[in-house]
PDB file of all heavy atoms in Angstrom:
ATOM      1  N   HIS I  10     119.820  92.578  72.069  1.00 97.00           N
ATOM      2  CA  HIS I  10     121.267  92.791  71.994  1.00 97.00           C
ATOM      3  C   HIS I  10     121.543  93.936  71.037  1.00 97.00           C
ATOM      4  O   HIS I  10     120.868  94.064  70.013  1.00 97.00           O
ATOM      5  CB  HIS I  10     121.981  91.530  71.482  1.00 97.00           C
ATOM      6  CG  HIS I  10     121.727  90.320  72.322  1.00 97.00           C
ATOM      7  ND1 HIS I  10     122.488  90.020  73.430  1.00 97.00           N
ATOM      8  CD2 HIS I  10     120.800  89.344  72.231  1.00 97.00           C
ATOM      9  CE1 HIS I  10     122.037  88.903  73.978  1.00 97.00           C
ATOM     10  NE2 HIS I  10     121.017  88.478  73.272  1.00 97.00           N
ATOM     11  N   GLU I  11     122.515  94.749  71.396  1.00 97.00           N
ATOM     12  CA  GLU I  11     122.902  95.869  70.541  1.00 97.00           C
ATOM     13  C   GLU I  11     124.416  96.001  70.595  1.00 97.00           C
ATOM     14  O   GLU I  11     124.998  96.127  71.678  1.00 97.00           O
ATOM     15  CB  GLU I  11     122.233  97.158  71.028  1.00 97.00           C
ATOM     16  CG  GLU I  11     122.620  98.405  70.271  1.00 97.00           C
ATOM     17  CD  GLU I  11     121.869  98.541  68.959  1.00 97.00           C
ATOM     18  OE1 GLU I  11     120.718  98.103  68.888  1.00 97.00           O
ATOM     19  OE2 GLU I  11     122.453  99.086  68.006  1.00 97.00           O
ATOM     20  N   VAL I  12     125.023  95.968  69.419  1.00 97.00           N
ATOM     21  CA  VAL I  12     126.457  96.206  69.327  1.00 97.00           C
ATOM     22  C   VAL I  12     126.633  97.427  68.454  1.00 97.00           C
ATOM     23  O   VAL I  12     126.115  97.486  67.328  1.00 97.00           O
ATOM     24  CB  VAL I  12     127.200  95.003  68.717  1.00 97.00           C
ATOM     25  CG1 VAL I  12     128.693  95.306  68.637  1.00 97.00           C
ATOM     26  CG2 VAL I  12     126.952  93.742  69.541  1.00 97.00           C
ATOM     27  N   THR I  13     127.363  98.398  68.954  1.00 96.00           N
ATOM     28  CA  THR I  13     127.539  99.627  68.213  1.00 96.00           C
ATOM     29  C   THR I  13     128.957 100.144  68.411  1.00 96.00           C
ATOM     30  O   THR I  13     129.707  99.640  69.255  1.00 96.00           O
ATOM     31  CB  THR I  13     126.514 100.680  68.668  1.00 96.00           C
ATOM     32  OG1 THR I  13     126.538 101.796  67.771  1.00 96.00           O
ATOM     33  CG2 THR I  13     126.816 101.163  70.075  1.00 96.00           C
ATOM     34  N   GLU I  14     129.297 101.132  67.629  1.00 97.00           N
ATOM     35  CA  GLU I  14     130.634 101.720  67.753  1.00 97.00           C
ATOM     36  C   GLU I  14     130.563 103.017  68.538  1.00 97.00           C
ATOM     37  O   GLU I  14     129.548 103.729  68.520  1.00 97.00           O
ATOM     38  CB  GLU I  14     131.223 101.965  66.365  1.00 97.00           C
ATOM     39  CG  GLU I  14     131.530 100.670  65.616  1.00 97.00           C
ATOM     40  CD  GLU I  14     132.301 100.924  64.337  1.00 97.00           C
ATOM     41  OE1 GLU I  14     132.351 102.080  63.878  1.00 97.00           O
ATOM     42  OE2 GLU I  14     132.843  99.948  63.781  1.00 97.00           O
ATOM     43  N   MET I  15     131.656 103.292  69.207  1.00 97.00           N
ATOM     44  CA  MET I  15     131.751 104.521  69.997  1.00 97.00           C
ATOM     45  C   MET I  15     131.346 105.727  69.161  1.00 97.00           C
ATOM     46  O   MET I  15     131.760 105.850  68.002  1.00 97.00           O
ATOM     47  CB  MET I  15     133.187 104.680  70.491  1.00 97.00           C
ATOM     48  CG  MET I  15     133.417 105.874  71.384  1.00 97.00           C
ATOM     49  SD  MET I  15     135.082 105.874  72.073  1.00 97.00           S
ATOM     50  CE  MET I  15     136.062 106.007  70.598  1.00 97.00           C
ATOM     51  N   GLY I  16     130.537 106.594  69.770  1.00 96.00           N
ATOM     52  CA  GLY I  16     130.108 107.800  69.087  1.00 96.00           C
ATOM     53  C   GLY I  16     128.744 107.694  68.433  1.00 96.00           C
ATOM     54  O   GLY I  16     128.128 108.708  68.098  1.00 96.00           O
ATOM     55  N   GLN I  17     128.272 106.466  68.277  1.00 97.00           N
ATOM     56  CA  GLN I  17     126.968 106.272  67.653  1.00 97.00           C
ATOM     57  C   GLN I  17     125.838 106.486  68.651  1.00 97.00           C
ATOM     58  O   GLN I  17     126.015 106.364  69.870  1.00 97.00           O
ATOM     59  CB  GLN I  17     126.859 104.856  67.075  1.00 97.00           C
ATOM     60  CG  GLN I  17     127.826 104.575  65.935  1.00 97.00           C
ATOM     61  CD  GLN I  17     127.580 105.471  64.741  1.00 97.00           C
ATOM     62  OE1 GLN I  17     126.475 105.547  64.212  1.00 97.00           O
ATOM     63  NE2 GLN I  17     128.612 106.175  64.314  1.00 97.00           N
ATOM     64  N   GLU I  18     124.671 106.808  68.120  1.00 97.00           N
ATOM     65  CA  GLU I  18     123.476 106.949  68.957  1.00 97.00           C
ATOM     66  C   GLU I  18     122.835 105.579  69.157  1.00 97.00           C
ATOM     67  O   GLU I  18     122.754 104.774  68.227  1.00 97.00           O
ATOM     68  CB  GLU I  18     122.481 107.895  68.287  1.00 97.00           C
ATOM     69  CG  GLU I  18     121.175 108.064  69.050  1.00 97.00           C
ATOM     70  CD  GLU I  18     120.217 109.009  68.346  1.00 97.00           C
ATOM     71  OE1 GLU I  18     120.542 110.206  68.224  1.00 97.00           O
ATOM     72  OE2 GLU I  18     119.138 108.536  67.916  1.00 97.00           O
ATOM     73  N   VAL I  19     122.407 105.341  70.381  1.00 97.00           N
ATOM     74  CA  VAL I  19     121.748 104.076  70.725  1.00 97.00           C
ATOM     75  C   VAL I  19     120.376 104.387  71.324  1.00 97.00           C
ATOM     76  O   VAL I  19     120.271 105.273  72.189  1.00 97.00           O
ATOM     77  CB  VAL I  19     122.573 103.287  71.755  1.00 97.00           C
ATOM     78  CG1 VAL I  19     121.824 102.042  72.205  1.00 97.00           C
ATOM     79  CG2 VAL I  19     123.928 102.914  71.184  1.00 97.00           C
ATOM     80  N   LEU I  21     117.146 102.449  73.173  1.00 98.00           N
ATOM     81  CA  LEU I  21     116.566 101.247  73.756  1.00 98.00           C
ATOM     82  C   LEU I  21     115.080 101.506  73.987  1.00 98.00           C
ATOM     83  O   LEU I  21     114.686 102.608  74.374  1.00 98.00           O
ATOM     84  CB  LEU I  21     117.254 100.911  75.092  1.00 98.00           C
ATOM     85  CG  LEU I  21     118.789 100.897  75.071  1.00 98.00           C
ATOM     86  CD1 LEU I  21     119.325 100.507  76.444  1.00 98.00           C
ATOM     87  CD2 LEU I  21     119.323  99.994  74.003  1.00 98.00           C
ATOM     88  N   ARG I  36     120.372  99.995  84.989  1.00 96.00           N
ATOM     89  CA  ARG I  36     121.569  99.506  84.319  1.00 96.00           C
ATOM     90  C   ARG I  36     122.250  98.528  85.270  1.00 96.00           C
ATOM     91  O   ARG I  36     122.395  98.811  86.468  1.00 96.00           O
ATOM     92  CB  ARG I  36     122.506 100.669  83.994  1.00 96.00           C
ATOM     93  CG  ARG I  36     123.817 100.267  83.363  1.00 96.00           C
ATOM     94  CD  ARG I  36     124.592 101.470  82.866  1.00 96.00           C
ATOM     95  NE  ARG I  36     125.086 102.327  83.925  1.00 96.00           N
ATOM     96  CZ  ARG I  36     125.858 103.398  83.715  1.00 96.00           C
ATOM     97  NH1 ARG I  36     126.185 103.720  82.478  1.00 96.00           N
ATOM     98  NH2 ARG I  36     126.261 104.129  84.720  1.00 96.00           N
ATOM     99  N   ARG I  64     124.633 112.692  78.210  1.00 95.00           N
ATOM    100  CA  ARG I  64     124.561 111.836  77.024  1.00 95.00           C
ATOM    101  C   ARG I  64     123.351 110.894  77.082  1.00 95.00           C
ATOM    102  O   ARG I  64     122.930 110.353  76.085  1.00 95.00           O
ATOM    103  CB  ARG I  64     125.830 111.000  76.892  1.00 95.00           C
ATOM    104  CG  ARG I  64     127.107 111.804  76.698  1.00 95.00           C
ATOM    105  CD  ARG I  64     128.316 110.902  76.466  1.00 95.00           C
ATOM    106  NE  ARG I  64     128.609 110.046  77.609  1.00 95.00           N
ATOM    107  CZ  ARG I  64     128.364 108.738  77.640  1.00 95.00           C
ATOM    108  NH1 ARG I  64     127.830 108.136  76.597  1.00 95.00           N
ATOM    109  NH2 ARG I  64     128.665 108.035  78.719  1.00 95.00           N
ATOM    110  N   PHE I  65     122.828 110.719  78.287  1.00 97.00           N
ATOM    111  CA  PHE I  65     121.676 109.844  78.487  1.00 97.00           C
ATOM    112  C   PHE I  65     120.394 110.670  78.554  1.00 97.00           C
ATOM    113  O   PHE I  65     120.349 111.698  79.244  1.00 97.00           O
ATOM    114  CB  PHE I  65     121.820 109.060  79.797  1.00 97.00           C
ATOM    115  CG  PHE I  65     122.824 107.950  79.753  1.00 97.00           C
ATOM    116  CD1 PHE I  65     124.181 108.218  79.656  1.00 97.00           C
ATOM    117  CD2 PHE I  65     122.405 106.627  79.814  1.00 97.00           C
ATOM    118  CE1 PHE I  65     125.111 107.179  79.622  1.00 97.00           C
ATOM    119  CE2 PHE I  65     123.332 105.589  79.788  1.00 97.00           C
ATOM    120  CZ  PHE I  65     124.677 105.862  79.689  1.00 97.00           C
ATOM    121  N   ILE I  79     121.150 107.010  74.264  1.00 97.00           N
ATOM    122  CA  ILE I  79     122.523 107.378  74.610  1.00 97.00           C
ATOM    123  C   ILE I  79     123.156 107.989  73.353  1.00 97.00           C
ATOM    124  O   ILE I  79     123.211 107.353  72.304  1.00 97.00           O
ATOM    125  CB  ILE I  79     123.355 106.152  75.065  1.00 97.00           C
ATOM    126  CG1 ILE I  79     122.633 105.386  76.160  1.00 97.00           C
ATOM    127  CG2 ILE I  79     124.728 106.622  75.566  1.00 97.00           C
ATOM    128  CD1 ILE I  79     123.300 104.066  76.529  1.00 97.00           C
ATOM    129  N   GLN I  80     123.597 109.224  73.482  1.00 96.00           N
ATOM    130  CA  GLN I  80     124.171 109.927  72.331  1.00 96.00           C
ATOM    131  C   GLN I  80     125.183 110.963  72.799  1.00 96.00           C
ATOM    132  O   GLN I  80     124.810 111.914  73.481  1.00 96.00           O
ATOM    133  CB  GLN I  80     123.059 110.604  71.522  1.00 96.00           C
ATOM    134  CG  GLN I  80     123.508 111.644  70.510  1.00 96.00           C
ATOM    135  CD  GLN I  80     124.376 111.092  69.401  1.00 96.00           C
ATOM    136  OE1 GLN I  80     124.412 109.886  69.180  1.00 96.00           O
ATOM    137  NE2 GLN I  80     125.091 111.959  68.703  1.00 96.00           N
ATOM    138  N   PRO I  81     126.470 110.819  72.471  1.00 96.00           N
ATOM    139  CA  PRO I  81     127.080 109.682  71.784  1.00 96.00           C
ATOM    140  C   PRO I  81     127.416 108.558  72.762  1.00 96.00           C
ATOM    141  O   PRO I  81     127.666 108.806  73.940  1.00 96.00           O
ATOM    142  CB  PRO I  81     128.353 110.304  71.224  1.00 96.00           C
ATOM    143  CG  PRO I  81     128.717 111.335  72.247  1.00 96.00           C
ATOM    144  CD  PRO I  81     127.416 111.885  72.773  1.00 96.00           C
ATOM    145  N   SER I  82     127.421 107.334  72.287  1.00 96.00           N
ATOM    146  CA  SER I  82     127.727 106.196  73.158  1.00 96.00           C
ATOM    147  C   SER I  82     129.244 106.068  73.354  1.00 96.00           C
ATOM    148  O   SER I  82     130.036 106.481  72.492  1.00 96.00           O
ATOM    149  CB  SER I  82     127.162 104.912  72.569  1.00 96.00           C
ATOM    150  OG  SER I  82     127.677 104.700  71.273  1.00 96.00           O
ATOM    151  N   GLU I  83     129.623 105.501  74.503  1.00 96.00           N
ATOM    152  CA  GLU I  83     131.024 105.277  74.846  1.00 96.00           C
ATOM    153  C   GLU I  83     131.183 103.831  75.332  1.00 96.00           C
ATOM    154  O   GLU I  83     130.214 103.241  75.826  1.00 96.00           O
ATOM    155  CB  GLU I  83     131.466 106.250  75.940  1.00 96.00           C
ATOM    156  CG  GLU I  83     131.421 107.709  75.517  1.00 96.00           C
ATOM    157  CD  GLU I  83     131.923 108.651  76.596  1.00 96.00           C
ATOM    158  OE1 GLU I  83     132.363 108.162  77.667  1.00 96.00           O
ATOM    159  OE2 GLU I  83     131.893 109.886  76.364  1.00 96.00           O
ATOM    160  N   PRO I  84     132.405 103.287  75.223  1.00 96.00           N
ATOM    161  CA  PRO I  84     132.617 101.896  75.670  1.00 96.00           C
ATOM    162  C   PRO I  84     132.180 101.649  77.116  1.00 96.00           C
ATOM    163  O   PRO I  84     131.688 100.569  77.436  1.00 96.00           O
ATOM    164  CB  PRO I  84     134.126 101.698  75.491  1.00 96.00           C
ATOM    165  CG  PRO I  84     134.467 102.595  74.336  1.00 96.00           C
ATOM    166  CD  PRO I  84     133.590 103.819  74.515  1.00 96.00           C
ATOM    167  N   ARG I  85     132.333 102.636  77.989  1.00 94.00           N
ATOM    168  CA  ARG I  85     131.946 102.443  79.397  1.00 94.00           C
ATOM    169  C   ARG I  85     130.436 102.354  79.587  1.00 94.00           C
ATOM    170  O   ARG I  85     129.961 102.054  80.695  1.00 94.00           O
ATOM    171  CB  ARG I  85     132.499 103.569  80.266  1.00 94.00           C
ATOM    172  CG  ARG I  85     132.030 104.956  79.888  1.00 94.00           C
ATOM    173  CD  ARG I  85     132.840 106.010  80.633  1.00 94.00           C
ATOM    174  NE  ARG I  85     132.631 107.343  80.098  1.00 94.00           N
ATOM    175  CZ  ARG I  85     132.215 108.369  80.828  1.00 94.00           C
ATOM    176  NH1 ARG I  85     131.972 108.214  82.100  1.00 94.00           N
ATOM    177  NH2 ARG I  85     132.062 109.562  80.280  1.00 94.00           N
ATOM    178  N   ASP I  86     129.658 102.603  78.546  1.00 95.00           N
ATOM    179  CA  ASP I  86     128.205 102.436  78.619  1.00 95.00           C
ATOM    180  C   ASP I  86     127.794 100.975  78.425  1.00 95.00           C
ATOM    181  O   ASP I  86     126.616 100.632  78.603  1.00 95.00           O
ATOM    182  CB  ASP I  86     127.513 103.289  77.550  1.00 95.00           C
ATOM    183  CG  ASP I  86     127.830 104.769  77.676  1.00 95.00           C
ATOM    184  OD1 ASP I  86     128.088 105.226  78.815  1.00 95.00           O
ATOM    185  OD2 ASP I  86     127.839 105.461  76.644  1.00 95.00           O
ATOM    186  N   SER I  87     128.741 100.133  78.074  1.00 95.00           N
ATOM    187  CA  SER I  87     128.445  98.718  77.870  1.00 95.00           C
ATOM    188  C   SER I  87     127.915  98.109  79.166  1.00 95.00           C
ATOM    189  O   SER I  87     128.566  98.185  80.214  1.00 95.00           O
ATOM    190  CB  SER I  87     129.694  97.964  77.402  1.00 95.00           C
ATOM    191  OG  SER I  87     130.132  98.459  76.154  1.00 95.00           O
ATOM    192  N   ALA I  88     126.729  97.520  79.092  1.00 95.00           N
ATOM    193  CA  ALA I  88     126.058  96.979  80.284  1.00 95.00           C
ATOM    194  C   ALA I  88     124.767  96.314  79.816  1.00 95.00           C
ATOM    195  O   ALA I  88     124.444  96.330  78.621  1.00 95.00           O
ATOM    196  CB  ALA I  88     125.731  98.096  81.283  1.00 95.00           C
ATOM    197  N   VAL I  89     124.030  95.755  80.764  1.00 96.00           N
ATOM    198  CA  VAL I  89     122.677  95.290  80.476  1.00 96.00           C
ATOM    199  C   VAL I  89     121.709  96.330  81.027  1.00 96.00           C
ATOM    200  O   VAL I  89     121.807  96.721  82.195  1.00 96.00           O
ATOM    201  CB  VAL I  89     122.387  93.911  81.103  1.00 96.00           C
ATOM    202  CG1 VAL I  89     120.968  93.461  80.758  1.00 96.00           C
ATOM    203  CG2 VAL I  89     123.406  92.881  80.621  1.00 96.00           C
ATOM    204  N   TYR I  90     120.802  96.769  80.189  1.00 98.00           N
ATOM    205  CA  TYR I  90     119.820  97.776  80.577  1.00 98.00           C
ATOM    206  C   TYR I  90     118.458  97.108  80.728  1.00 98.00           C
ATOM    207  O   TYR I  90     117.975  96.440  79.823  1.00 98.00           O
ATOM    208  CB  TYR I  90     119.764  98.896  79.538  1.00 98.00           C
ATOM    209  CG  TYR I  90     121.025  99.732  79.520  1.00 98.00           C
ATOM    210  CD1 TYR I  90     122.176  99.284  78.862  1.00 98.00           C
ATOM    211  CD2 TYR I  90     121.092 100.951  80.197  1.00 98.00           C
ATOM    212  CE1 TYR I  90     123.354 100.029  78.873  1.00 98.00           C
ATOM    213  CE2 TYR I  90     122.263 101.711  80.202  1.00 98.00           C
ATOM    214  CZ  TYR I  90     123.376 101.245  79.547  1.00 98.00           C
ATOM    215  OH  TYR I  90     124.532 101.987  79.572  1.00 98.00           O
ATOM    216  N   ARG I 108     121.240  93.871  76.181  1.00 96.00           N
ATOM    217  CA  ARG I 108     122.690  93.840  76.402  1.00 96.00           C
ATOM    218  C   ARG I 108     123.344  94.759  75.382  1.00 96.00           C
ATOM    219  O   ARG I 108     123.294  94.495  74.185  1.00 96.00           O
ATOM    220  CB  ARG I 108     123.244  92.420  76.262  1.00 96.00           C
ATOM    221  CG  ARG I 108     124.745  92.335  76.502  1.00 96.00           C
ATOM    222  CD  ARG I 108     125.241  90.899  76.516  1.00 96.00           C
ATOM    223  NE  ARG I 108     124.698  90.152  77.641  1.00 96.00           N
ATOM    224  CZ  ARG I 108     125.213  90.174  78.864  1.00 96.00           C
ATOM    225  NH1 ARG I 108     126.287  90.894  79.132  1.00 96.00           N
ATOM    226  NH2 ARG I 108     124.664  89.455  79.825  1.00 96.00           N
ATOM    227  N   LEU I 109     123.938  95.835  75.865  1.00 97.00           N
ATOM    228  CA  LEU I 109     124.576  96.835  75.001  1.00 97.00           C
ATOM    229  C   LEU I 109     126.085  96.672  75.045  1.00 97.00           C
ATOM    230  O   LEU I 109     126.674  96.635  76.126  1.00 97.00           O
ATOM    231  CB  LEU I 109     124.186  98.244  75.445  1.00 97.00           C
ATOM    232  CG  LEU I 109     124.897  99.391  74.730  1.00 97.00           C
ATOM    233  CD1 LEU I 109     124.533  99.426  73.252  1.00 97.00           C
ATOM    234  CD2 LEU I 109     124.592 100.727  75.392  1.00 97.00           C
ATOM    235  N   THR I 110     126.676  96.596  73.869  1.00 97.00           N
ATOM    236  CA  THR I 110     128.132  96.566  73.743  1.00 97.00           C
ATOM    237  C   THR I 110     128.549  97.717  72.852  1.00 97.00           C
ATOM    238  O   THR I 110     128.087  97.821  71.714  1.00 97.00           O
ATOM    239  CB  THR I 110     128.627  95.244  73.132  1.00 97.00           C
ATOM    240  OG1 THR I 110     128.174  94.163  73.950  1.00 97.00           O
ATOM    241  CG2 THR I 110     130.151  95.218  73.062  1.00 97.00           C
ATOM    242  N   VAL I 111     129.386  98.592  73.386  1.00 97.00           N
ATOM    243  CA  VAL I 111     129.898  99.720  72.634  1.00 97.00           C
ATOM    244  C   VAL I 111     131.386  99.478  72.387  1.00 97.00           C
ATOM    245  O   VAL I 111     132.175  99.382  73.325  1.00 97.00           O
ATOM    246  CB  VAL I 111     129.687 101.051  73.377  1.00 97.00           C
ATOM    247  CG1 VAL I 111     130.174 102.221  72.516  1.00 97.00           C
ATOM    248  CG2 VAL I 111     128.220 101.241  73.748  1.00 97.00           C
ATOM    249  N   LEU I 112     131.745  99.380  71.122  1.00 96.00           N
ATOM    250  CA  LEU I 112     133.139  99.048  70.755  1.00 96.00           C
ATOM    251  C   LEU I 112     134.000 100.301  70.603  1.00 96.00           C
ATOM    252  O   LEU I 112     133.475 101.375  70.301  1.00 96.00           O
ATOM    253  CB  LEU I 112     133.148  98.244  69.455  1.00 96.00           C
ATOM    254  CG  LEU I 112     132.309  96.950  69.496  1.00 96.00           C
ATOM    255  CD1 LEU I 112     132.274  96.319  68.116  1.00 96.00           C
ATOM    256  CD2 LEU I 112     132.914  95.986  70.515  1.00 96.00           C
TER     257      LEU I 112
END
Side-chain angles (χ1 to χ4, degrees):
Chain I
H10 302 273
E11 177 80 32
V12 180
T13 190
E14 292 189 345
M15 183 173 63
Q17 295 298 306
E18 178 180 295
V19 175
L21 311 182
R36 177 171 68 176
R64 298 184 297 106
F65 286 69
I79 308 172
Q80 165 63 17
S82 57
E83 296 183 3
R85 60 191 168 124
D86 301 331
S87 297
V89 181
Y90 291 80
R108 181 173 294 276
L109 174 65
T110 302
V111 183
L112 303 174

